[in-house]
Amino acid sequence: MDGTELARVMLRTVVGATMIAHGVKHGRSLEGTAGWFESIGFTQPRAQARASAVVEAGAGAAIIAGAGTPLAASAVVATMAIAARTVHAANGFFITAEGYEYVLNLATASVVISALGSGRWSVDGLVRGGSRGSGARRAALAAGLGLAAASVQLAVFWRRPSPGR
């Protein structure tokens, strides 16, 4: 395994494991997660809690495996964009103040994974012999599809909570 392949595996593993951990956390505490989603303005909080658990764990597993990598990366981008809009953006950059630093890094790392391609040591590499299309196109797909999905999700299921709530 050369350095680039090792870097791909390491990045996929860290981002994927982080997403799985979040999905499992949400899945183990669906009622608490639903209550939190309701408090930040989601109109169907129980459905959102279940969807969050499934999407986060599923996208994380797919990224680790390198399976459907641009689509899995787009799911991470969507999740992080929703988190940024609903919770973090108003708090500035730094995570120490609940800012968007963390979600920006996870979303960006996911786009980078898509741009680099999942490599030889991946399901995509085994099934298709490697990544399809240019890195720029894969990055644009992950970022564009993720941001579009987040926009739809927010438009349909989120309303800014009233101040003081």
Side-chain angles (χ1 to χ4, degrees):
M1 179 183 299
D2 69 18
T4 302
E5 289 299 321
L6 178 60
R8 284 179 172 129
V9 170
M10 290 174 65
L11 187 57
R12 288 192 344 250
T13 301
V14 169
V15 171
T18 300
M19 294 306 297
I20 290 170
H22 279 271
V24 168
K25 179 182 178 196
H26 288 154
R28 286 186 174 167
S29 59
L30 283 174
E31 286 306 311
T33 300
W36 181 70
F37 280 151
E38 185 173 32
S39 77
I40 62 171
F42 281 97
T43 59
Q44 295 183 9
R46 282 172 186 71
Q48 298 305 313
R50 285 189 294 276
S52 172
V54 169
V55 168
E56 289 172 353
I63 283 180
I64 289 172
T69 303
L71 295 178
S74 74
V76 175
V77 169
T79 302
M80 296 302 110
I82 291 166
R85 179 68 182 104
T86 60
V87 177
H88 301 288
N91 299 320
F93 178 74
F94 294 105
I95 190 63
T96 54
E98 292 294 323
Y100 60 88
E101 173 183 15
Y102 175 73
V103 296
L104 176 64
N105 275 281
L106 277 176
T108 302
S110 297
V111 172
V112 169
I113 289 168
S114 186
L116 292 173
S118 48
R120 289 179 293 179
W121 299 95
S122 67
V123 171
D124 290 346
L126 293 172
V127 170
R128 293 184 295 181
S131 300
R132 300 279 166 106
S134 71
R137 284 187 180 172
R138 291 189 306 272
L141 175 64
L145 184 59
L147 292 173
S151 296
V152 170
Q153 173 82 358
L154 291 168
V156 174
F157 295 107
W158 183 71
R159 302 295 174 260
R160 182 186 311 274
S162 348
R165 184 167 182 201

